């Protein structure tokens, strides 16, 4: 069986399970005052080479919606890609957490926003005056189209945002894949490029259920902590969430998992190209869009009508094997 | 060290960790379409001896707020105890998820509402006409005061609620402790007594982070599923939540853990009484309120100003040992 | 002076002021239980030739947002024109009253939606599944572009909406202008065409501040009455609102005023065309879009950047005079 | 007929109607940029002897909810009297406009809060930590019980509020009656006493539908202006609202009307006392609560079950006549 449905159909890395097991005994302070969470914060400060705050959450939807709500008043405007998960896949979570902000979905072929496009739309809305108050620019890196933003691209968009009074959110559900693909540092891809909050995903890349709000603009933390609690996203036994994230960052597990997933996607893409299959988007992370004559027996994957007829999305994960890829290609 | 701060300072039962480890490999459908979640649903139908729907969540605050929102329009009224977790400890989560409903906190000494008290308040609000539309009665079982409702008491309150157009929610953060203490069946304590949704807690009783919305009024499920997703509470790798709950219910782990915690609380209460310490509430579950001259060295616990001067709350958990209890008593 | 800024820069018809003065004495029941409101309801039932409910409000923004909220859950989708007042000019009022619904603005050159366009977008969103639940189609008649929908066009769109589980709202800020222009009956343009709620505007056409929610789908009335009150839109001295609307509908004042405004717009358009000025949209109501080399002295009007460089919007009202129009044309 | 149901069953003063008629012709800028609104602002600055901002609205519910929302985050706490209109009569408008804040209704016999009571409750909630963040203290002056706050009493409560990080709102639906009764200046009763926003009522005292947000803490104005628009409370033809308020304040109409209403209430109270009728609250404004054996023929008034059996509320207004009062007393 070759399962390319999503990276969230995969299980969890052994290191993550072991970390959970290791912290399961004894009593510790609840709600985030435990030593594991403290260690995680230190690890993040080192990794990102800056002071920052963290709030662990269980789901990416929660992380994104909380981050956006921290930046956006109920009458605010959020500028994002038309295929953004926050717009397409969250049943309106950003609208819920912001109490009614307006998303402005912007189209592009490769899932990336351009600075010009963002500037033009913000300026249009600001000129209208009564549509919404521009408040937040939201990027997904790696994008929903399987491409990535490089640090310079993030920087260019963040400059546009900040110069117009907006803050910058990055949906990093596949941030590890973008880091590996770009070869750039997490600092360069985030706060040095002007990102205010990163939602650093771990679930899709080997954790059970763990995402991390990495807050670079620390003026947002106090209110965000209330929203986090009020939204039901502050775990009492926080250690079980922090331990996943701590193990994820320790010994470069996150990089190893992402490198593997990206390599499997590249292998898949190479194989498809070799067979003359049309790939609809550049393959820069762990997602491949291909026009397939038919789905080979023994494979599971999703059709992607948004990109045209007979188009499928193939996602590789940390536990995808080369055998799965090759078997898929062989049976095509 | 004797740690009586809360049952959420405890870790997780070995069975829970093993269950997690067991399901960590391979790919399965995400967002709840996996076989572990299906098995959990079947297990619940058997345990409760009725048809029902389930939605797993990872926090009790989320479970409660979602359940209440499913029953209560934005202009609705929720009738609960003045010490209810939903009113006192959730930063307004029910108000957030309902989009502004009004809680009517009702006082009593032992944490329990009476049918007469609930009837009187609902009737007053209904008569006023423009305060709120009575919509939901929320009980906590076991209560925040460490007492329990018996099935007949739940029934009497639910009858009052239903006859006045309200639905009934049970915050079951310590439901296992109430079941064990009452000796009554889960069916008798819930749907047979008129409960519409139970939030069945596992976190405080040995899970890592797992609560279960048990929906007896299945007309609420469709909309609740959207709210669940939109609130960021629908896990992609649901298996890791369902596996915890499945192991919790298998082989009576939940009952064994709760029996132990209750026994430790009884041992503590007996010891305190023997030493002439005043207990402020009946000890019917795993929580003890005591007026202590001082906190013994090596013990951690919370002061409970709401109940008077020098009053402390002592909570036992699944991993509390008799030694801890005895050491505490000895050092008092 | 020629003032073409908007129809809301005009004052109020003498008949409206006289009606207010007539009901100013004595005491009557408040909050809508007065005889003037009862008479207004009867008048509406006759005019629309059907049973219906009414809720008078002071502002069009309120009327639209309330109507849409009555049809749309917090996770619902609203399909409207990209230039719709509800999207562009209300600071997110629909998002506020619905608690976070999502608007899907659809472009077109003449301000009108087509049934095909609406069907395509609803189907796309329904297929995506997690973006929003299609709930409401909102039309503006006359449109923001100064065009009108005929009954058959409304019907075609309403059929698309209803067959896909959506209800239909009409923003009738300039409904009188559309009725006069189409020559069709109010029944044909609304409930017979499938409209569920009309917000029947009077403010822009000679009232001081008065709009009427005309509710054809009476299953929406009970909840809408609560939202109306909760939003601060239920006047205590309702007679002063109902009297305006009653006078507006009596003796065809609304039709006379709209006929005059439309005639003034036609006169303006004819004069502009005669001078070789480019008109950017068909002139079917009381709004003219023209590319002007310069704004003549003594004239006030708004630039309309959305439609291009040097484009201006010219709106005529019930108190616009032929002299104003001619003076404007002369000075051009 | 003697109509004592409410001051909102009365019509409008001749001066108000004349003012409306006077501004009905010609075109002026809409949405509040007109000269009448500018004049009203100047008049208010003189009357209150300070710099301030104003936002006219047409309902008291809107005014209160907007003011409270400007001071209170979604997770904030609002401290008010248990009989406050904002809690009892607005279908949850404050919860709607604040996006879910929590009201803490405090009881007292005479409708007035005491500084001690407010301090105690704020401190309790602040200590709990997770119930709500104390944000706003809301007073009604004159109170719902027909009593008034003197400037020193407002000051004492405002000091408690400010020292605990809360702002102060005054629901002044019957503010004129309080001013007349206290003999104190509007400045002393508001900003000099620490009030941040007053909702200055005119509707109950002779206007058609007009209330004024008087904003002393001008840091709140910018955001409040957006909420005002987004709530559908910003009139396009603002002149018709501002003209009412301007006439209300001109030539002391507001004081004359309130003096008359208060005098009629005093006459009623004296007559009732003379007949041995029990009055349940001090009569300090234009509201009388009396235990009546029966309702005299020809009289309309509301029973007030909250205050006991056979208790009725009698409200006098600007158009109540001495004959009405005397006829009522005679027929008792």
């Amino acid at each position: 069986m070759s399962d390319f449905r999503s990276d969230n159909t995969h299980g969890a890395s052994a290191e993550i399970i072991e970390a959970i097991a290791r912290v399961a005994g004894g009593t510790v302070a609840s709600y985030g005052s435990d030593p594991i969470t403290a260690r995680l914060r230190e690890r993040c400060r080192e990794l990102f080479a800056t002071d920052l705050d963290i709030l662990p959450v269980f789901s990416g939807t929660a992380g994104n919606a909380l981050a956006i709500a921290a930046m956006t008043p109920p009458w605010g405007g959020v500028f994002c890609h038309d295929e953004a998960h926050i717009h397409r896949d969250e049943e309106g979570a950003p609208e819920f957490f912001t109490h009614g902000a307006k998303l402005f979905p912007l189209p592009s072929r490769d899932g990336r926003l351009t600075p010009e496009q963002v500037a033009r739309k913000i300026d249009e809305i600001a000129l209208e005056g009564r549509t919404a108050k521009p408040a937040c620019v939201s990027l997904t890196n790696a994008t929903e189209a399987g491409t990535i933003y490089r640090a310079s691209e993030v920087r260019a968009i963040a400059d546009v945002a900040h110069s117009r009074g907006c803050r910058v959110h990055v949906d990093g559900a596949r941030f590890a894949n973008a880091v590996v693909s770009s070869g750039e540092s997490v600092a360069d891809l985030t706060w040095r490029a002007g990102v205010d909050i990163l939602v650093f995903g771990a679930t899709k890349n080997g954790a059970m259920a763990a995402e991390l709000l990495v807050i670079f603009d620390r003026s947002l933390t106090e209110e965000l902590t209330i929203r986090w609690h009020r939204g039901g996203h502050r775990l009492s036994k926080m250690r079980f969430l922090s331990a996943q994230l701590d193990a994820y960052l320790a010994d470069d597990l996150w990089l190893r998992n992402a490198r593997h997933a990206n390599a499997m996607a590249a292998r898949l893409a190479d194989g498809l190209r070799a067979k003359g299959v049309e790939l609809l988007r550049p393959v820069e992370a762990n997602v491949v869009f291909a026009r397939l004559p038919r789905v080979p027996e023994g494979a599971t994957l999703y059709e992607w009508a948004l990109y045209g007829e007979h188009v499928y999305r193939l996602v590789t994960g940390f536990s995808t094997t080369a055998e799965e890829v090759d078997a898929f290609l062989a049976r095509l």
Side-chain angles (χ1 to χ4, degrees), chain A residues 77-195:
Chain A
V78 178
F79 301 83
C80 64
H81 194 275
D82 179 51
E83 295 169 20
H85 196 271
I86 60 164
H87 178 52
R88 289 275 175 174
D89 296 295
E90 303 188 351
E91 300 275 20
E95 286 88 346
F96 175 43
F97 281 80
T98 58
H99 301 290
K102 209 184 263 285
L103 270 58
F104 294 94
L106 305 173
S108 83
R109 206 183 139 73
D110 63 2
R112 275 185 290 252
L113 300 171
T114 67
E116 296 72 27
Q117 176 185 40
V118 172
R120 202 162 44 238
K121 192 69 185 179
I122 295 179
D123 290 346
E124 177 200 321
I125 296 305
L127 182 68
E128 286 283 303
R130 293 179 176 177
T131 308
K133 302 302 169 213
C136 171
V137 174
S138 174
L139 308 178
T140 312
N141 199 12
T143 75
E144 287 80 2
T147 57
I148 66 161
Y149 287 98
R150 305 198 141 263
S152 60
E153 294 167 316
V154 176
R155 167 92 275 165
I157 293 173
D159 284 351
V160 160
H162 290 151
S163 70
R164 285 156 175 84
C166 294
R167 283 201 177 85
V168 179
H169 157 250
V170 169
D171 174 350
R174 296 190 180 100
F175 189 62
N177 304 283
V179 170
V180 160
S181 176
S182 71
E184 296 177 304
S185 79
V186 295
D188 284 349
L189 281 165
T190 58
W191 66 272
R192 283 200 196 114
V195 173

Side-chain angles (χ1 to χ4, degrees), chain A residues 31-331:
Chain A
Y31 288 109
S33 305
D34 61 278
I36 303 133
T37 305
R39 188 173 67 207
L40 173 63
R41 189 180 303 111
E42 279 321 298
R43 201 185 282 282
C44 288
R45 286 175 177 167
E46 277 168 39
L47 176 63
F48 284 91
T50 188
D51 210 1
L52 49 76
D53 291 319
I54 60 165
L55 296 176
V57 291
F58 250 45
S59 90
T61 294
N64 291 331
L66 284 165
I68 290 168
M71 301 174 173
T72 312
W75 45 84
V78 178
F79 301 83
C80 64
H81 194 275
D82 179 51
E83 295 169 20
H85 196 271
I86 60 164
H87 178 52
R88 289 275 175 174
D89 296 295
E90 303 188 351
E91 300 275 20
E95 286 88 346
F96 175 43
F97 281 80
T98 58
H99 301 290
K102 209 184 263 285
L103 270 58
F104 294 94
L106 305 173
S108 83
R109 206 183 139 73
D110 63 2
R112 275 185 290 252
L113 300 171
T114 67
E116 296 72 27
Q117 176 185 40
V118 172
R120 202 162 44 238
K121 192 69 185 179
I122 295 179
D123 290 346
E124 177 200 321
I125 296 305
L127 182 68
E128 286 283 303
R130 293 179 176 177
T131 308
K133 302 302 169 213
C136 171
V137 174
S138 174
L139 308 178
T140 312
N141 199 12
T143 75
E144 287 80 2
T147 57
I148 66 161
Y149 287 98
R150 305 198 141 263
S152 60
E153 294 167 316
V154 176
R155 167 92 275 165
I157 293 173
D159 284 351
V160 160
H162 290 151
S163 70
R164 285 156 175 84
C166 294
R167 283 201 177 85
V168 179
H169 157 250
V170 169
D171 174 350
R174 296 190 180 100
F175 189 62
N177 304 283
V179 170
V180 160
S181 176
S182 71
E184 296 177 304
S185 79
V186 295
D188 284 349
L189 281 165
T190 58
W191 66 272
R192 283 200 196 114
V195 173
D196 295 293
I197 302 183
L198 164 71
V199 181
F200 191 175
T203 309
K204 284 183 156 73
N205 191 36
M208 299 190 319
E211 312 277 311
L212 192 63
L213 282 153
V214 184
I215 308 166
F216 303 110
D217 179 346
R218 300 179 67 198
S219 71
L220 301 173
T221 304
E222 186 178 346
E223 196 185 286
L224 199 36
T225 304
I226 300 174
R227 292 184 187 271
W228 180 50
H229 193 114
R230 175 175 171 86
H233 290 290
R234 182 179 194 173
L235 282 198
S236 55
K237 295 185 175 175
M238 187 73 74
R239 64 169 112 172
F240 291 111
L241 193 38
S242 297
Q244 291 181 63
L245 292 159
D246 189 58
Y248 184 65
L249 297 180
D251 305 322
D252 290 346
L253 173 62
W254 67 292
L255 294 170
R256 284 183 280 128
N257 279 357
R259 250 180 236 123
H260 177 78
N262 284 11
M264 289 302 103
R267 185 184 190 103
L268 188 56
D270 288 346
L272 289 167
R273 271 190 219 100
K275 287 180 175 283
V277 167
E278 180 193 359
L279 301 187
L280 284 96
R281 297 291 182 274
V283 178
E284 301 179 359
N286 64 324
V287 184
V288 178
F289 294 93
R291 197 179 315 271
L292 298 178
R294 53 176 196 80
V295 178
E297 214 180 320
T300 52
L301 67 175
Y302 291 123
E303 210 172 341
W304 215 252
L306 202 64
Y307 286 1
E309 287 210 354
H310 300 295
V311 176
Y312 291 82
R313 188 185 74 162
L314 300 97
V315 187
T316 56
F318 82 97
S319 71
T320 300
T321 62
E323 289 69 34
E324 274 183 273
V325 171
D326 296 345
F328 178 86
L329 293 169
R331 269 171 302 192

